[in-house]
Amino acid sequence: MGRPALIAAMLAVLVPLGASGEDLEITFNDHCRECHSFVKDDNRLGPSLYGVVGRKAGVEAGYGYTQSMKDSGVTWDEATLDKWIADPGAVVPGNGMSPPYSGIDDPAIRKRIVAYLKTLAPKTNGGP
């Protein structure tokens, strides 16, 4: 059994029991890491997703957003992130991410990604 198949089998068993942070990170890495970092200020092909939950769309410093994203008025809450991960073009047409990204149909995978993004929130005590 190859590594991706093994990881998928492990997730199928672990997620119904309650996914750990490591399981959530694996899901993020499998679907988002090619273009996005979860490290603060580390913009790549896509903007850093550190602290994305609760952030307004199109404001991450140092990233070149499309005008439609800057003007969208979107704030990244759980529901909006879920819709975005499913179909970015339906949330913000002309966003620059779709195409090539076409979305994730599986609501369980989207839920794990959003749960992981919530762990990337800046701490309120001044630390990262």
Side-chain angles (χ1 to χ4, degrees):
M1 178 180 293
R3 189 172 199 277
L6 179 59
I7 291 170
M10 289 170 54
L11 285 174
V13 171
L14 293 174
V15 170
L17 301 174
S20 73
E22 186 175 312
D23 297 329
L24 299 176
E25 184 176 344
I26 289 169
T27 303
F28 173 87
N29 287 341
D30 285 349
H31 297 279
C32 310
R33 182 80 177 171
E34 186 172 333
C35 298
H36 295 278
S37 172
F38 53 75
V39 176
K40 184 178 181 179
D41 300 325
D42 184 18
N43 296 315
R44 297 185 179 187
L45 184 58
S48 170
L49 297 179
Y50 175 85
V52 70
V53 178
R55 184 168 75 203
K56 289 221 173 265
V59 300
E60 177 68 14
Y63 186 77
Y65 291 97
T66 62
Q67 196 61 47
S68 62
M69 186 62 79
K70 291 178 191 177
D71 295 341
S72 69
V74 167
T75 297
W76 298 118
D77 59 22
E78 292 178 51
T80 305
L81 283 165
D82 180 67
K83 291 175 189 171
W84 174 266
I85 295 166
D87 183 2
V91 178
V92 180
N95 62 65
M97 185 167 152
S98 60
Y101 175 80
S102 60
I104 296 173
D105 292 330
D106 187 331
I109 290 174
R110 295 194 313 266
K111 184 176 182 176
R112 289 193 300 266
I113 292 170
V114 171
Y116 182 70
L117 293 174
K118 287 173 56 180
T119 71
L120 304 177
K123 306 288 188 247
T124 57
N125 65 2

